[in-house]
Amino acid sequence: MKTIQETAETFEVSTRTLRYYEEIGLLEPDRSSGNQRKYSKADETRLKLILRGKKYGFSLDEIREMVLLFDEDRSGKKQLERTIEYGEARVREIEASIKEFQALKQEMEDLLEGFKQKLKEEKE
Amino acid sequence: MKTIQETAETFEVSTRTLRYYEEIGLLEPDRSSGNQRKYSKADETRLKLILRGKKYGFSLDEIREMVLLFDEDRSGKKQLERTIEYGEARVREIEASIKEFQALKQEMEDLLEGFKQKLKEEKE
DNA sequence: TTTAACATTGACGTTTACGTAAAGTTCAAT
DNA sequence: ATTGAACTTTACGTAAACGTCAATGTTAAA
């Protein structure tokens, strides 16, 4: 169980950020007898997910939806089906993103090839 | 040459957004005799780049750096070398992103597989 | 047990990326 | 020439995601 400071350092975020994530319902660490936050391994895993989501441009609102969906009680049949459907839609989005990134990479490489050619010509 | 309205509709952004991008130096369309903005094909290409950048979580500040770097006069040897170096670094970042996305996809697929299994068991 | 470091909850401030309304100007069509 | 739609700048407003005090409570070590 880490303190808020330790957790913040581990993930390179501010303590304010951790408190804010709790404020908007993204995290809910246990408290010590004196009401201080205690971050468990599960909290860390969740935080990791949140930060990855952020890295790829998802809003905290969207992230909450995902995190909660995968975190809630998935026992009911309807719930499971909904989760699977949602998850598969997300996977398709990710696939599309990968393709776009690959195209972008190709584009940049082509552009750079042109620059290199130009540089070469300039040297001669 | 498109008007601001036409351009906004084409790219599904507001006219305010286009004016704002100009305000912060991301776009600089020509003006008509009466001072109205006229967007050229080059402006559209640039806007496309900006929107793609946004989609992947880059701030407009970061986007400006990229756009301007690839847009300035690349004539000097030093300039060219710097551009190539910068570009290659960006390509490496993109490669890393692709790998992370692929990992994320795998993770989600595994998770979904688990859910599907659970659903199957429940049916029996 | 006291003290320094760290924690808590407000609450107001800041930046980014626009939204929106006002007041006036230009354009295209009649 | 007129008029309505679209354009202009100016400027204040807003939501998200925190930053930054301030006042107070907790913890761990000496």
Side-chain angles (χ1 to χ4, degrees):
Chain A
M1 291 293 225
K2 286 182 183 168
T3 69
I4 192 169
Q5 183 93 343
E6 287 164 347
T7 309
E9 275 162 17
T10 303
F11 291 92
E12 297 185 338
V13 297
S14 69
T15 58
R16 176 67 175 97
T17 295
L18 293 180
R19 294 200 187 92
Y20 178 66
Y21 287 173
E22 187 173 346
E23 209 178 309
I24 62 173
L26 274 177
L27 286 173
E28 23 186 352
D30 290 342
R31 299 302 183 103
S32 74
S33 56
N35 198 34
Q36 296 193 188
R37 290 169 179 83
K38 287 289 171 190
Y39 292 86
S40 71
K41 199 70 196 161
D43 293 321
E44 290 192 36
T45 304
R46 196 148 164 181
L47 180 54
K48 212 178 293 174
L49 258 162
I50 296 168
L51 296 178
R52 191 167 49 192
K54 275 215 55 182
K55 189 168 176 188
Y56 293 113
F58 296 105
S59 74
L60 292 182
D61 243 52
E62 292 170 312
I63 292 170
R64 184 179 33 232
E65 263 198 64
M66 291 189 240
V67 171
L68 292 188
L69 200 53
F70 283 104
D71 226 58
E72 276 167 25
D73 186 21
R74 304 285 89 191
S75 45
K77 187 187 161 217
K78 277 264 182 264
Q79 290 284 314
L80 264 175
E81 278 169 351
R82 274 193 52 228
T83 305
I84 289 169
E85 227 171 287
Y86 179 81
E88 285 181 339
R90 293 284 319 121
V91 167
R92 281 194 294 278
E93 275 180 43
I94 292 170
E95 275 167 357
S97 294
I98 291 174
K99 276 189 190 162
E100 277 198 66
F101 263 113
Q102 278 163 347
L104 175 58
K105 186 188 160 193
Q106 189 59 50
E107 238 177 86
M108 290 199 59
E109 279 174 342
D110 292 351
L111 195 60
L112 287 176
E113 203 42 57
F115 285 150
K116 282 184 188 170
Q117 198 55 40
K118 216 168 154 188
L119 189 63
K120 216 174 164 187
E121 280 159 20
E122 221 159 271
K123 274 188 178 154
E124 286 159 12
Chain B
M1 290 295 223
K2 285 181 184 170
T3 70
I4 191 169
Q5 184 91 346
E6 287 164 347
T7 308
E9 275 161 18
T10 303
F11 292 90
E12 297 184 338
V13 297
S14 68
T15 57
R16 176 65 175 100
T17 295
L18 293 180
R19 294 202 186 90
Y20 178 67
Y21 288 172
E22 186 172 347
E23 208 177 309
I24 63 173
L26 275 176
L27 287 173
E28 25 187 349
D30 291 343
R31 299 301 183 107
S32 72
S33 57
N35 197 36
Q36 298 193 185
R37 290 170 179 82
K38 286 288 169 191
Y39 293 85
S40 72
K41 197 73 197 158
D43 293 321
E44 290 193 36
T45 303
R46 196 148 164 182
L47 180 53
K48 212 178 296 176
L49 259 162
I50 296 168
L51 296 179
R52 192 166 48 190
K54 274 216 55 182
K55 188 168 175 185
Y56 293 113
F58 296 106
S59 73
L60 293 181
D61 243 53
E62 291 170 312
I63 292 170
R64 182 178 37 230
E65 264 198 63
M66 293 188 237
V67 170
L68 292 188
L69 199 54
F70 284 105
D71 223 60
E72 275 165 26
D73 188 21
R74 305 285 85 191
S75 45
K77 186 188 162 215
K78 276 264 182 265
Q79 290 284 316
L80 263 175
E81 279 169 351
R82 272 194 54 229
T83 305
I84 289 169
E85 226 173 286
Y86 179 83
E88 285 181 339
R90 293 282 320 121
V91 166
R92 280 193 296 278
E93 275 180 42
I94 292 169
E95 276 167 356
S97 293
I98 290 174
K99 276 187 191 166
E100 279 199 62
F101 263 115
Q102 277 163 347
L104 175 59
K105 185 187 161 193
Q106 188 60 51
E107 236 178 89
M108 290 199 61
E109 279 175 342
D110 292 351
L111 196 59
L112 287 176
E113 204 40 58
F115 286 150
K116 281 184 190 170
Q117 198 55 43
K118 216 168 154 188
L119 190 61
K120 217 176 163 186
E121 280 160 20
E122 222 161 271
K123 274 185 181 158
E124 288 160 10

